[in-house]
């Protein structure tokens, strides 16, 4: 079942989608919730699409089984997608059949509730029409809204008591045990915490901001908003110098500001995790819409050569695993790591199990005494790590094994090579961390990365294509693929496709760059078009 709630900013559309998603997950369904909104405080157009299924899903569908309109003008934006029931306020007079109307605004006013409670009334109407028990709806609202939810129970009761239904228009029954519904931002935050995160620094920037909000409310770490992104990453480097695990989060513009500091971390061999949540660019672009345009920026984020790890999660559940994995790898190899994600993952919700990440301890020398040889040359390139009160020197200049600046040719050659040897070690370790996911269905392939995986996997299963979803971009691992190869991405030129073509594989591109994620229907249409 695929349900869209549409209205204006300020109508509580996002909250309504989350609550409806929780109702489905409470009843045991797999759920995915897509949030679309403009960069506005009030007005405009917002939509929340809630999809529930008996099987695991990681995308929403193009066509709706039900559309809930909180404003009349949003109906036209969604009418062509509706294949089922329209739910609206009686006063809107929308021309569609079948239609279920209720005096939503009038009832909310009579009960003395705020106007935003129309979203709760609309959810109650939908749930009543498909036979969801009133107790389930009320319990989820109380859990989600706390004290604010108590007064909204009156509108739920009013709807369930007075809605005129000659028969239920559908049936949504309990199909299993309650599942956890989490956002991508929550999954990333929990993954980092499980891997030992102690400090998180970020200047607000959509779509990375929800991670900051979540960690600011969590007592397991310190989350701080400094004056800008440069300060954020420098604070993270300072925390790591002190022996504590730290991360930063931003989007393209903020990531650009961090560029010089990423080089500093590379030269000083300081571990730091950077969350790069992509949105449509360049510059401000469409700040609240999704994209996959920063792949090459993440692969080449700063000046000079230094070891770097870049990986991109393919689902919300994978976001948890990969965030923890990258924080551990950053510390194991004393180098920056980048989690390259996107708005469609950080701000969407899905049923997921967040488990399996543990902190992999790294030995840290902390004794006060003689000057510590922080950059000792080793075969692996990984030197012993130290933190105060140990006496040691970190340096952004080329340096010797003790960290003293040098421009001696022989020393520089050895230190440079020492750092770069870590790339070989990183590749050896990442090879055992599922650098890509393969789903075998047929001789032809669809290759993709990031959130496209959900829609692609469904289509591949239907049409008999094998799927390769690339998780690690640096070091890059590609599975052996053959036959017709399609590459699905949310950018104009096909950034991953170019990497694949460099390996001598001919690729057909399926691309979009309008800020919207692919649905399974849209991927299927494009694949069938290419296939003739």
């Amino acid at each position: 079942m695929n349900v869209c709630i549409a209205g204006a900013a300020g109508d509580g559309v996002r909250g309504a989608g989350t609550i409806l998603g929780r109702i489905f997950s409470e009843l045991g369904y797999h759920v995915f919730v897509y949030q679309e909104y403009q960069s506005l405080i009030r007005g405009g157009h917002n939509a929340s699409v809630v999809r529930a299924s008996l099987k695991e899903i990681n995308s929403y569908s193009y066509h709706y089984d039900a559309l809930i309109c909180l404003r009349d003008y949003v109906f036209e934006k969604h009418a062509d997608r509706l294949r089922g029931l329209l739910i609206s306020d009686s006063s809107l007079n929308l021309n569609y059949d079948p239609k279920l109307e209720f005096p939503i605004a009038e009832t909310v006013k009579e009960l003395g509730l705020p106007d935003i409670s129309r979203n709760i009334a609309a959810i109650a109407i939908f749930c009543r029409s498909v036979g969801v028990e009133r107790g389930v709806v009320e319990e989820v609202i109380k859990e989600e809204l706390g004290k604010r939810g108590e007064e909204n129970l009156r509108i739920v009761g009013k709807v369930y008591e007075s809605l005129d239904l000659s028969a239920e228009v559908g049936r949504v029954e309990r199909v299993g045990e309650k599942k956890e519904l989490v956002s991508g931002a929550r999954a990333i935050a929990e993954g980092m915490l499980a891997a030992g995160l102690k400090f998180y620094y970020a200047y607000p920037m959509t779509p990375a901001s929800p991670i900051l909000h979540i960690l600011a409310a969590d007592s397991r770490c310190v989350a701080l908003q400094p004056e800008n992104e440069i300060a954020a990453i420098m604070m993270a480097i300072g925390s790591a110098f002190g022996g504590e695990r730290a991360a930063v989060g931003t989007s393209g513009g903020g990531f650009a500001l961090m560029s010089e500091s990423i080089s500093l971390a590379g030269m000083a061999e300081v571990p730091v995790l950077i969350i790069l949540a992509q949105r449509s660019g360049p510059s401000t672009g469409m700040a609240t819409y999704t994209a996959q345009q920063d792949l090459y920026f993440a692969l080449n984020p700063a000046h000079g050569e230094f070891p770097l790890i870049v990986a991109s999660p393919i689902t919300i559940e994978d976001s948890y695993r990969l965030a923890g994995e990258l924080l551990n790898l950053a510390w194991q190899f004393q180098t920056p790591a980048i989690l390259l994600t996107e708005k469609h993952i950080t701000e969407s919700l899905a049923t997921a199990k967040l488990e399996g990440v543990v902190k992999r301890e790294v030995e840290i020398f902390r004794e006060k005494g003689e000057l510590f040889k922080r950059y000792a040359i080793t075969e692996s390139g990984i030197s012993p790590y130290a933190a105060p009160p140990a006496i040691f020197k970190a340096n952004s200049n080329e340096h010797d094994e003790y960290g003293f600046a040098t421009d001696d040719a022989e020393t520089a050659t050895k230190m440079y090579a020492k750092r770069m040897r870590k790339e070989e070690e990183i590749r050896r370790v990442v090879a055992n961390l599922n650098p890509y996911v393969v789903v075998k269905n047929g001789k032809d392939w669809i290759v993709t990365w990031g959130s496209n995986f959900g829609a692609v996997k469904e289509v591949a299963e239907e049409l008999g294509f094998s799927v390769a979803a690339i998780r690690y971009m640096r070091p890059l691992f590609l599975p052996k693929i053959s036959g017709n190869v399609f590459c699905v991405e949310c950018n104009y030129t096909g950034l991953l496709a170019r990497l694949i073509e460099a390996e001598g594989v001919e690729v057909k591109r399926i691309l979009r760059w309008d800020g919207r994620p692919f649905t399974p229907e849209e991927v299927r249409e494009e694949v069938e078009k290419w296939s003739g």
Side-chain angles (χ1 to χ4, degrees):
M1 181 169 284
N2 200 43
V3 182
C4 176
I5 305 157
D11 284 342
V13 171
R14 174 188 289 254
T18 302
I19 290 172
L20 186 55
R22 292 202 187 285
I23 290 170
F24 278 119
S25 64
E26 173 67 35
L27 296 172
Y29 290 90
H30 294 276
V31 178
F32 186 90
V33 183
Y34 165 63
Q35 307 282 16
E36 183 170 311
Y37 63 99
Q38 295 178 285
S39 185
L40 297 169
I41 303 298
R42 294 280 179 187
H45 165 246
N46 284 14
S48 184
V49 185
V50 183
R51 186 183 181 199
S53 174
L54 293 173
K55 65 178 185 179
E56 187 176 333
I57 50 173
N58 287 290
S59 70
Y60 74 105
S61 287
Y62 185 87
H63 294 119
Y64 309 143
D65 299 294
L67 171 63
I68 300 171
C69 281
L70 298 175
R71 301 277 175 176
D72 54 0
Y73 65 85
V74 299
F75 175 68
E76 293 302 324
K77 292 181 177 293
H78 297 273
D80 68 320
R81 295 184 173 216
L82 183 56
R83 296 291 184 271
L85 179 68
L86 172 66
I87 295 174
S88 66
D89 192 306
S90 309
S91 64
L92 298 187
N93 295 317
L94 299 175
N95 183 22
Y96 183 83
D97 183 49
K99 179 170 61 175
L100 179 55
E101 294 181 320
F102 188 83
I104 297 174
E106 182 182 326
T107 307
V108 165
K109 190 175 181 180
E110 284 176 0
L111 293 174
L113 296 172
D115 188 58
I116 197 172
S117 293
R118 292 183 296 115
N119 65 348
I120 302 298
I123 291 171
I125 294 167
F126 169 77
C127 290
R128 174 69 182 88
S129 71
V130 294
V132 177
E133 293 179 7
R134 175 176 165 181
V136 172
V137 178
E138 292 179 337
E139 195 60 34
V140 171
I141 289 173
K142 282 192 287 186
E143 287 180 7
E144 184 66 22
L145 300 180
K147 282 191 175 180
R148 285 193 298 122
E150 293 288 341
E151 63 178 13
N152 280 296
L153 299 187
R154 290 190 287 143
I155 187 67
V156 176
K158 188 70 175 178
V159 167
Y160 268 73
E161 291 162 6
S162 58
L163 185 63
D164 183 19
L165 283 176
S166 54
E168 291 175 346
V169 295
R171 193 72 186 169
V172 174
E173 299 176 325
R174 181 174 291 281
V175 294
E177 295 296 314
K178 174 183 177 180
K179 293 181 171 59
E180 291 299 318
L181 185 69
V182 297
S183 68
R186 168 70 65 184
I188 291 168
E190 293 292 340
M192 293 191 295
L193 289 167
L197 182 77
K198 289 298 178 188
F199 292 92
Y200 185 79
Y201 306 101
Y203 188 76
M205 192 168 189
T206 302
S209 297
I211 304 170
L212 174 62
H213 302 159
I214 290 166
L215 291 173
D218 198 302
S219 61
R220 291 172 289 177
C221 77
V222 173
L224 182 67
Q225 176 193 323
E227 65 270 31
N228 56 40
E229 287 86 351
I230 299 173
I233 192 167
M234 292 304 288
M235 286 180 169
I237 291 171
S239 294
F241 176 84
E244 299 291 352
R245 296 194 176 194
V248 299
T250 188
S251 190
F255 188 71
L257 292 173
M258 294 180 178
S259 176
E260 186 176 7
S261 302
I262 295 172
S263 282
L264 163 60
M267 173 58 96
E269 301 186 54
V270 175
V272 60
L273 174 61
I274 303 148
I275 311 298
L276 172 50
Q278 300 168 95
R279 68 187 195 187
S280 182
S283 191
T284 309
M286 294 190 290
T288 58
Y289 290 83
T290 200
Q292 293 179 309
Q293 302 167 352
D294 295 338
L295 175 56
Y296 290 0
F297 191 18
L299 294 175
N300 305 279
H303 59 285
E305 297 174 292
F306 55 90
L308 180 70
I309 307 165
V310 181
S312 184
I314 59 175
T315 64
I316 286 175
E317 193 168 277
D318 192 39
S319 301
Y320 167 79
R321 288 190 292 267
L322 212 42
E325 208 164 273
L326 288 183
L327 186 57
N328 279 323
L329 289 172
W331 277 81
Q332 180 178 353
F333 293 102
Q334 302 169 26
T335 200
I338 298 171
L339 181 77
L340 181 61
T341 186
E342 60 211 81
K343 182 264 178 186
H344 189 44
I345 282 186
T346 59
E347 296 195 355
S348 295
L349 300 101
T351 44
K353 287 184 179 178
L354 305 186
E355 58 187 18
V357 173
V358 295
K359 179 183 179 183
R360 290 204 296 272
E361 296 290 347
V362 173
E363 187 174 353
I364 302 176
F365 182 78
R366 295 179 185 271
E367 295 179 17
K368 189 175 182 180
E370 299 295 320
L371 182 61
F372 187 77
K373 194 186 282 188
R374 168 69 184 88
Y375 300 110
I377 293 178
T378 64
E379 190 175 340
S380 66
I382 305 169
S383 304
Y385 204 75
I391 299 174
F392 65 100
K393 187 174 175 64
N395 197 339
S396 68
N397 288 84
E398 187 56 275
H399 44 261
D400 63 14
E401 290 180 282
Y402 289 95
F404 288 104
T406 183
D407 53 12
D408 175 71
E410 183 179 353
T411 304
T413 300
K414 290 179 179 176
M415 295 304 297
Y416 204 125
K418 179 200 92 73
R419 289 190 297 273
M420 296 308 292
R421 278 202 295 275
K422 287 194 282 188
E423 288 212 316
E424 299 169 22
E425 287 295 306
I426 291 170
R427 186 170 184 82
R428 184 181 61 78
V429 171
V430 169
N432 296 312
L433 294 177
N434 298 321
Y436 51 76
V437 170
V438 166
V439 183
K440 288 199 172 179
N441 295 307
K443 64 179 180 61
D444 297 325
W445 288 78
I446 305 177
V447 186
T448 192
W449 61 293
S451 66
N452 308 314
F453 175 70
V456 165
K457 182 170 179 288
E458 287 187 38
V459 174
E461 288 173 348
E462 290 176 20
L463 302 182
F465 280 80
S466 292
V467 178
I470 311 303
R471 296 175 78 231
Y472 276 85
M473 305 297 193
R474 181 175 172 179
L476 177 66
F477 288 85
L478 296 175
K480 188 174 289 186
I481 52 181
S482 58
N484 291 312
V485 179
F486 298 84
C487 189
V488 177
E489 304 180 65
C490 289
N491 54 61
Y492 186 84
T493 56
L495 301 177
L496 176 62
R498 284 159 61 185
L499 294 179
I500 297 170
E501 286 171 337
E503 301 294 318
V505 179
E506 186 179 341
V507 177
K508 298 178 177 66
R509 288 164 167 76
I510 296 177
L511 309 171
R512 75 182 305 171
W513 51 89
D514 59 358
R516 277 71 176 176
F518 280 104
T519 63
E521 293 91 336
E522 290 163 330
V523 174
R524 184 187 305 110
E525 183 180 342
E526 291 298 316
V527 170
E528 289 177 339
K529 192 187 302 178
W530 269 102
S531 300

